Amino acid sequence: MTETPETTEISNQHAGFAAIIGAPNAGKSTLVNRLTGSKVSIVTQKVQTTRFPVRGIAIKGDAQIVLVDTPGIFTPRRRLDRAMVASAWGGAQDADVVVHLIDAQSHIDAEGREGTPADRRSAEDTETIIANLQATDTKVILALNKIDGMRRDTLLALSQRLFETGVYSEVFMISALSGDGVDDLLTRL
């Protein structure tokens, strides 16, 4: 069978699913919107705006990436909470690659006196996510978000601590809002 130009072109294309997981308000929807170049997810300061997985498509070269913006993963208290968290983990299990997005500033603030109760909850949720990833022996990509204005040594120390948990294959430092580092993450995906 001889190859036609159409079959050659198709064989060079790539497609896959990438799930974005993280604690509530880590910036998952902002990142998905930035990666797709359009507003596919609602972005607000209100916690748990995304209640079911939202999909958007990013195209880079000959690759199409279906991005899955999942609900925030947190300690559920009600039936709706449990359903949203289960939906987020389901989106991660069905993906070819998973990105764990962490609000770096909030995580650092939770360790100090300036941390708010929301910062501490976010850090606790992150620890729960890491424990679940460790229990399932899942390797994911770590993306430290909201790095704007943070000291480099602080970011590197946080990155090292998180990487030592053994669940991350690589680390990206990004700002989903400004776009810093996002192109590198997109290229990797």
Side-chain angles (χ1 to χ4, degrees):
M1 178 176 178
T2 59
E3 283 190 44
T4 65
E6 290 177 304
T7 59
T8 302
E9 185 177 324
I10 291 171
S11 66
N12 291 332
Q13 294 178 348
H14 305 282
F17 284 81
I20 313 296
I21 65 169
N25 279 1
K28 297 176 299 295
S29 296
T30 302
L31 178 59
V32 168
N33 289 345
R34 173 71 64 178
L35 289 169
T36 61
S38 62
K39 187 171 180 169
V40 295
S41 287
I42 297 171
V43 177
T44 72
Q45 290 291 16
K46 185 179 181 209
V47 179
Q48 292 308 110
T49 306
T50 305
R51 294 193 172 199
F52 55 90
V54 176
R55 289 171 180 78
I57 298 175
I59 299 172
K60 175 98 173 170
D62 61 353
Q64 290 184 355
I65 307 158
V66 179
L67 298 157
V68 183
D69 178 12
T70 62
I73 298 174
F74 60 102
T75 304
R77 292 174 181 81
R78 303 175 309 220
R79 187 184 321 177
L80 176 60
D81 295 346
R82 286 188 294 276
M84 287 190 309
V85 170
S87 176
W89 282 116
Q93 289 172 344
D94 295 339
D96 298 307
V97 65
V98 176
V99 176
H100 182 195
L101 191 69
I102 294 176
D103 179 340
Q105 186 65 60
S106 178
H107 203 79
I108 295 294
D109 289 349
E111 298 170 354
R113 292 181 185 201
E114 62 276 359
T116 65
D119 292 331
R120 285 187 275 289
R121 270 193 310 277
S122 179
E124 289 169 8
D125 292 338
T126 295
E127 296 304 320
T128 300
I129 293 167
I130 291 169
N132 190 310
L133 293 170
Q134 287 172 325
T136 58
D137 198 31
T138 304
K139 288 278 190 193
V140 302
I141 295 171
L142 171 61
L144 293 175
N145 191 25
K146 303 181 185 180
I147 62 167
D148 313 85
M150 292 187 68
R151 291 178 39 152
R152 186 173 178 84
D153 60 335
T154 303
L155 280 169
L156 291 173
L158 174 61
S159 172
Q160 182 66 35
R161 273 197 323 269
L162 291 168
F163 193 79
E164 288 173 353
T165 64
V167 299
Y168 303 109
S169 59
E170 51 199 308
V171 180
F172 289 85
M173 296 184 194
I174 67 167
S175 171
L177 189 60
S178 71
D180 290 343
V182 173
D183 282 341
D184 293 334
L185 178 59
L186 179 60
T187 298
R188 170 59 181 95
L189 295 176

